Amino acid sequence: MSQQENIVLKPIGVVRSPVKEVADDCWGGVLATIELDPKLFRPECTLGLEQYSHVEVVFLLDRIPQDKIEKGARHPRGRTDWPRMGIFAQRSKGRPNRIGVTVCKLESVDGLHIRVRELDAVDGTPVLDVKPYLKGFAPRGEVREPAWAGELMAGYFRKI
């Protein structure tokens, strides 16, 4: 494989959330605001977004140190009762490029402020993109996942 060029992304905004520290299983009901950068965008950049019920938020997991990046396999959350899984078979924070993607309920849009529910990103997280969620991009056919993934997600969106 040849040496690839680095890709440089510029954040489009920042997350404002009541959750201040990296955590698991506390995202239920969390209301956050995505503040878009006024130096990059005009308020009309969100025109029409309020017509959607959900958005996909792409963000940088910038609080994860480079030495915590997984390049092989591990037990999800360190739980040895769950099987070892490769990093690309789980949604761990310790991803190679530290990119997070979450579908959130859209609560409101006010110019450069997008209010969402249950965005699993802490306060100050750089936002890379916001896209309206379209049913046409949802999986077609049956969705399958291992049992441990259902166990992990059972408490992920619990209210704190």
Side-chain angles (χ1 to χ4, degrees):
M1 182 185 227
S2 65
Q3 180 76 12
Q4 292 185 350
E5 220 176 286
N6 282 334
I7 298 169
V8 178
L9 298 175
K10 183 174 183 166
I12 64 166
V14 67
V15 173
R16 295 295 173 215
S17 172
V19 181
K20 308 296 184 197
E21 301 292 327
V22 175
D24 291 320
D25 301 336
C26 66
W27 305 105
V30 170
L31 214 47
T33 301
I34 297 166
E35 293 180 352
L36 298 174
D37 187 339
K39 294 177 190 141
L40 298 175
F41 302 99
R42 293 188 303 272
E44 65 264 22
C45 70
T46 57
L47 184 65
L49 187 60
E50 76 286 346
Q51 296 175 45
Y52 296 88
S53 65
H54 292 77
V55 292
E56 290 181 283
V57 181
V58 182
F59 52 97
L60 182 66
L61 298 159
D62 66 323
R63 310 278 170 87
I64 308 304
Q66 287 292 330
D67 65 344
K68 298 293 184 192
I69 302 301
E70 181 61 57
K71 295 179 181 162
R74 68 176 184 87
H75 294 280
R77 298 240 182 121
R79 287 190 45 179
T80 56
D81 58 322
W82 290 341
R84 281 183 76 235
M85 303 295 286
I87 190 60
F88 298 116
Q90 53 185 296
R91 291 181 62 108
S92 167
K93 295 182 290 286
R95 310 201 61 71
N97 282 315
R98 300 180 304 160
I99 294 174
V101 179
T102 302
V103 175
C104 305
K105 183 172 186 334
L106 180 60
E107 293 292 329
S108 65
V109 180
D110 183 13
L112 299 178
H113 294 89
I114 304 168
R115 194 112 162 118
V116 296
R117 190 169 297 279
E118 298 182 339
L119 173 59
D120 53 346
V122 299
D123 188 62
T125 296
V127 176
L128 302 175
D129 205 351
V130 177
K131 298 179 178 205
Y133 181 81
L134 302 173
K135 288 190 284 188
F137 281 106
R140 288 158 295 290
E142 184 180 343
V143 175
R144 73 174 187 276
E145 63 183 36
W148 68 264
E151 291 174 32
L152 183 145
M153 293 306 297
Y156 194 77
F157 287 105
R158 72 177 168 83
K159 294 185 180 187
I160 55 172

